[in-house]
């Protein structure tokens, strides 16, 4: 049976009456199918007759059919809302909903202590003019080692037990010194790929992209294939700092790091600053804070302090003046600009800030512990 344009408004009016009288959701659903159902609904059937109409009548018919559909859908919506409200009122009156029950507790989230520490670190360095940026966790051998004066076979690779990524994108474990990372082809660049062992590759990436003056801090995850203990995880966070400018010296580096420590710990911790070695800084140094568990003595009632390994100090960061060779490699002139860099462990600072004696407590995800911090 075909439907005339003049009947469409009547169809909508009839539908509206029936919908308003629908007794429940089931009756409403049946009416929805009958009038606006995709396959056999009255409106669909009417629209199917469109091609058989003379071309000049089609636009008016189509518009009338759509207007009828809109009226019917609005009526369905209204009645649906009324029915739901009535059902709720009935449930409340019938005692199915107990309005005297206390509300369910809403668990308010909070930052993980590691995230909190990263935010605090970046806030303090922002106050000294360092911009916070991030870098890739999957890195090329070039940035992680070579550009940092650690060519294949260099003994410093032994220090960074590396997780290599092979061409299939799966992980392979190998000592970095053996240089056995598989070759991966990327835009003509053939070289091994790895999970970065430190955030220092970002020193090179930043210098490649920017001209001095540079002042950045880079928090991020690092990966090392090594046994865990109270102060070592195989996945942990570092924050890298890099400043390049004219006439920067070791005094600036020391001043920045001491100021950072004072702002972070409020002068509570003793700081040890002593020479160290890194191939990409010259001279290099190490910074440590006195152990909060044994108060720097190295022993507790139980014997040797497990947190600091008996040394009385917790090693917090490596640092130094950026090696002239690294500056030259990125096209900077070491006669004109100097730089200092530092790389510290976020978890180590979080341990000191929260009094957590074992780094592994941060990643075991025991909410009872994390919520107590
Ligand atoms: C480095 O990673 C150098 N890139 C640091 C550096 C940066 C030197 C810039 C000079 C200039 P190192 O391996 O010592 O150095 O690690 C630096 C800090 O990261 C350590 O002091 C420690 O706080 C933290 N760290 C290192 N390994 C781990 C680990 N397995 N778990 C937790 N924290 C670690």
């Amino acid at each position: 049976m075909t439907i005339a344009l003049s009947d469409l408004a009547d169809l909508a009016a009839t539908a509206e009456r029936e919908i308003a009288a629908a007794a429940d959701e089931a009756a409403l659903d049946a009416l929805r199918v009958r009038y606006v159902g995709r396959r056999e609904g009255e409106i669909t059937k009417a629209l199917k007759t469109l091609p058989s109409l003379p071309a000049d009548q089609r636009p008016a018919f189509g518009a009338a059919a759509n207007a009828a559909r809109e009226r019917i859908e609005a009526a369905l919506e209204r009645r649906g809302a009324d029915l739901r409200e009535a059902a709720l009122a009935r449930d409340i009156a019938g005692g199915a909903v107990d309005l005297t029950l206390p509300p369910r507790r809403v668990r308010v989230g909070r930052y993980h202590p590691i995230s909190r520490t990263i935010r605090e670190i970046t806030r303090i360095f922002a106050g000294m003019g360092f911009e916070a940026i991030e870098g890739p966790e999957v890195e090329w051998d070039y940035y992680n080692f070579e550009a940092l004066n650690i060519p294949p076979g260099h003994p410093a690779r032994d220090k960074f037990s590396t997780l290599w990524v092979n061409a299939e994108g799966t992980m392979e474990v190998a000592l970095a010194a053996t240089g056995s990372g598989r070759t991966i082809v990327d835009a003509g660049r053939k070289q091994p790929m790895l999970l970065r062992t430190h955030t220092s590759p970002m020193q090179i990436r930043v210098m490649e992209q920017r001209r001095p003056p540079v002042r950045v801090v880079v928090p991020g995850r690092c990966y090392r294939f090594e046994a865990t203990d109270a102060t070592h995880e195989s996945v942990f966070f570092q924050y890298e700092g890099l400043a390049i400018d004219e006439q920067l010296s070791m005094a600036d580096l020391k001043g920045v790091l001491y100021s950072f420590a004072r702002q972070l710990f409020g002068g509570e911790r003793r700081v040890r600053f002593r020479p160290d070695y890194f191939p990409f800084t010259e001279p290099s140094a190490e910074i440590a804070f006195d152990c909060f568990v044994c108060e720097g003595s190295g022993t507790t009632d139980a014997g040797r302090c497990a947190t600091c390994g008996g040394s009385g100090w917790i090693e917090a960061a490596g640092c130094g003046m950026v090696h002239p060779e690294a500056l030259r490699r990125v096209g900077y002139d070491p006669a004109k600009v100097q730089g200092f860099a530092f790389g510290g462990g976020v978890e180590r600072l979080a341990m000191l800030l929260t009094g957590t004696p074992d780094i592994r407590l941060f990643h075991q995800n025991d909410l009872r512990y994390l919520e107590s911090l």
Side-chain angles (χ1 to χ4, degrees):
M1 194 190 81
T2 55
I3 187 163
L5 187 147
S6 54
D7 294 335
L8 282 168
D10 287 344
L11 177 75
T14 310
E16 279 173 339
R17 258 196 319 280
E18 289 178 13
I19 288 167
D24 53 28
E25 295 271 356
L28 201 62
D29 276 341
L31 288 167
R32 181 177 290 117
V33 173
R34 181 162 143 221
Y35 284 106
V36 289
R38 283 241 177 97
R39 284 163 181 274
E40 292 293 321
E42 294 293 338
I43 298 291
T44 307
K45 280 198 273 184
L47 284 172
K48 276 188 187 150
T49 66
L50 210 56
S52 63
L53 292 179
D56 63 339
Q57 290 178 19
R58 285 179 206 162
F61 188 88
N66 280 328
R69 190 215 310 274
E70 274 168 28
R71 278 176 62 183
I72 296 169
E73 280 175 348
L76 285 164
E77 187 119 329
R78 273 197 307 275
R79 185 64 187 151
D82 287 351
L83 285 172
R84 278 191 299 278
E85 206 167 293
L88 182 64
R90 257 196 324 276
D91 282 349
I92 292 173
V97 179
D98 183 353
L99 294 177
T100 65
L101 274 178
R104 267 197 209 131
R105 209 181 100 194
V106 179
R107 286 179 80 97
V108 179
R110 67 173 74 193
Y111 284 107
H112 188 280
I114 300 303
S115 304
R116 247 175 24 224
T117 308
I118 289 174
R119 290 167 72 90
E120 186 63 4
I121 292 167
T122 52
R123 189 189 64 77
I124 294 173
F125 281 114
M128 293 189 273
F130 287 77
E131 177 195 351
I133 58 169
E134 288 184 312
E137 291 176 23
V138 181
E139 190 50 281
W140 297 110
D141 183 288
Y142 177 76
Y143 290 108
N144 198 84
F145 291 126
E146 281 208 63
L148 294 167
N149 297 336
I150 315 177
H154 192 290
R157 290 199 177 208
D158 288 345
K159 201 168 111 73
F160 300 103
S161 309
T162 307
L163 290 150
W164 297 93
V165 179
N166 67 24
E168 293 81 46
T170 54
M171 302 293 301
E172 216 170 81
V173 176
L175 269 187
T178 63
S180 66
R182 296 264 193 83
T183 299
I184 295 186
V185 183
D186 167 63
R189 176 188 252 157
K190 277 190 175 183
Q191 57 163 288
M193 197 189 242
L194 46 81
L195 292 187
R196 69 176 173 196
T197 57
H198 52 171
T199 42
S200 297
M202 279 304 286
Q203 289 183 32
I204 305 296
R205 286 184 177 274
V206 168
M207 289 193 290
E208 276 181 352
Q209 284 166 16
R210 302 184 182 190
R211 297 286 100 188
V214 169
R215 230 184 275 183
V216 292
V217 62
V218 191
R221 259 192 203 88
C222 303
Y223 303 80
R224 289 188 197 175
F225 181 63
E226 55 188 22
T228 65
D229 62 23
T231 51
H232 291 85
E233 272 281 13
S234 35
V235 182
F236 61 98
F237 284 85
Q238 282 190 344
Y239 56 97
E240 191 80 10
L242 175 72
I244 310 277
D245 212 333
E246 288 170 17
Q247 296 184 342
L248 280 185
S249 74
M250 200 77 176
D252 298 298
L253 165 63
K254 202 170 169 186
V256 163
L257 289 181
Y258 271 64
S259 168
F260 168 67
R262 247 194 327 277
Q263 293 182 61
L264 192 66
F265 299 121
E268 259 174 48
R269 303 242 71 85
R270 282 192 296 144
V271 186
R272 186 183 70 185
F273 193 76
R274 66 177 189 178
D276 199 346
Y277 168 73
F278 296 98
F280 41 97
T281 45
E282 181 60 34
S284 305
E286 171 221 89
I287 197 160
F289 299 107
D290 60 331
C291 177
F292 59 95
V293 176
C294 62
E295 295 299 339
S297 69
T299 51
T300 64
D301 292 346
R304 195 174 71 111
C305 176
T307 303
C308 63
S311 72
W313 295 96
I314 294 183
E315 189 199 309
C319 58
M321 300 306 292
V322 179
H323 199 289
E325 200 47 43
L327 294 174
R328 238 175 260 125
R329 198 172 281 120
V330 295
Y332 287 8
D333 180 357
K336 291 211 180 105
V337 290
Q338 299 78 45
F340 64 77
F342 51 87
V346 173
E347 282 84 353
R348 302 269 174 100
L349 298 181
M351 288 170 73
L352 290 153
L353 287 170
T354 59
T356 297
D358 192 312
I359 192 172
R360 290 165 291 198
L361 286 164
F362 290 130
H363 299 298
Q364 279 164 358
N365 280 340
D366 183 339
L367 280 184
R368 288 167 304 180
Y369 183 69
L370 294 177
E371 285 183 347
S372 75
L373 298 180

